[in-house]
Amino acid sequence: METDDDAMPDPLQLFFALSERLHDYRVEFIDRETRVSPPPDGDHETLIWRLARQLARFDVGDRFDAAMNKGVQTPAGDRVVPDITVTASGAMRGAESWMPSDGVLLVVEVTSTVPGRDRFTKRQVHAEAAIPLYLLIDRSESKLTLFTEPEKGNYTGRVEVGFGKLLPVPDPFGFVLDTASIVD
C-alpha cells in the first residue's frame, strides 16, 4: 500500500489491504485499529471443532446455521471474526464476506495468546452490536462464560462454569452444553 511519506494510511484502508494479503491470519478492525492474529494452535481448533459438533447435535430441526471464522460487521463499523458465528437458518445465505451483525444469535470465542481481546474488547464489541449471546471459552482460566442480555454496550447477564460442568444455553437454543466433551 503506497502513501505519501508524511501521510498515514486510513485505518480502514490498512485493514482491507492487510485482509487481502494475510490469508492465513485473522485480520480484524476494532475501535478503528487493525488487529492481526496468527493462525490458532491445535488446542484452540480442537475446542472449536468439539463445540461445533455438539451444537450440530442439538440442532435437530435445522433451525440454525453456523460458521467458523465468519466475518461480522457491526453497526459501529467494527469487523470481527468470531471463532463460531450462529444465525437462524438461512440468514447467512447470500451474505458478503463481512455480513451484518443484526442476524447473529450467538458468537463463540476461545481465548488466544492475547486473552484480553476475547475477555473484554470483543465482548464489548458484540454487546454493542446487540448480539444476544456471547460464549467465551477461557483456556487459561479453565472456564466457560455465557454472556447474555446485551444492553448499552455491555452484557448484563452471565453464567460461568468450570471446565467439565454443564452450561445451560437459553432460547432460542434451549439446551444444556456438556463442557466435559469439549475440554476433556
Side-chain angles (χ1 to χ4, degrees):
M1 183 169 164
E2 293 182 28
T3 63
D4 295 334
D5 290 337
D6 297 331
M8 290 295 294
D10 174 81
L12 194 55
Q13 287 178 334
L14 176 62
F15 162 76
F16 284 122
L18 288 172
S19 294
E20 289 176 11
R21 289 176 176 84
L22 300 176
H23 300 290
D24 293 335
Y25 288 77
R26 179 173 296 186
V27 182
E28 299 177 298
F29 187 72
I30 301 172
D31 292 333
R32 297 201 42 81
E33 288 182 11
T34 298
R35 298 163 189 229
V36 179
S37 302
D41 62 37
D43 290 341
H44 180 279
E45 294 301 271
T46 299
L47 288 169
I48 292 300
W49 178 246
R50 288 179 178 179
L51 177 61
R53 282 194 321 222
Q54 195 170 147
L55 291 172
R57 281 196 294 268
F58 285 112
D59 188 20
V60 293
D62 293 328
R63 300 177 303 147
F64 308 106
D65 287 334
M68 292 182 232
N69 302 310
K70 176 70 184 119
V72 176
Q73 183 174 356
T74 71
D78 293 314
R79 292 171 186 261
V80 292
V81 184
D83 291 320
I84 299 178
T85 301
V86 182
T87 66
S89 183
M92 284 191 220
R93 288 210 168 162
E96 299 289 329
S97 295
W98 296 98
M99 71 175 278
S101 61
D102 58 356
V104 176
L105 302 172
L106 164 72
V107 291
V108 179
E109 294 286 0
V110 174
T111 54
S112 61
T113 55
V114 186
R117 284 186 192 166
D118 299 316
R119 290 179 187 147
F120 308 108
T121 309
K122 286 188 177 181
R123 182 181 78 204
Q124 181 180 359
V125 167
H126 297 315
E128 287 172 352
I131 295 173
L133 301 171
Y134 175 54
L135 177 60
L136 176 65
I137 302 174
D138 196 320
R139 296 188 292 172
S140 59
E141 294 194 7
S142 301
K143 66 182 180 183
L144 287 88
T145 305
L146 180 63
F147 295 93
T148 63
E149 304 168 38
E151 188 176 303
K152 298 180 183 173
N154 199 8
Y155 286 101
T156 59
R158 72 187 279 165
V159 178
E160 192 172 281
V161 299
F163 280 4
K165 304 293 182 186
L166 298 176
L167 176 65
V169 181
D171 288 335
F173 300 96
F175 65 85
V176 176
L177 185 64
D178 178 9
T179 71
S181 68
I182 298 169
V183 298
D184 72 1

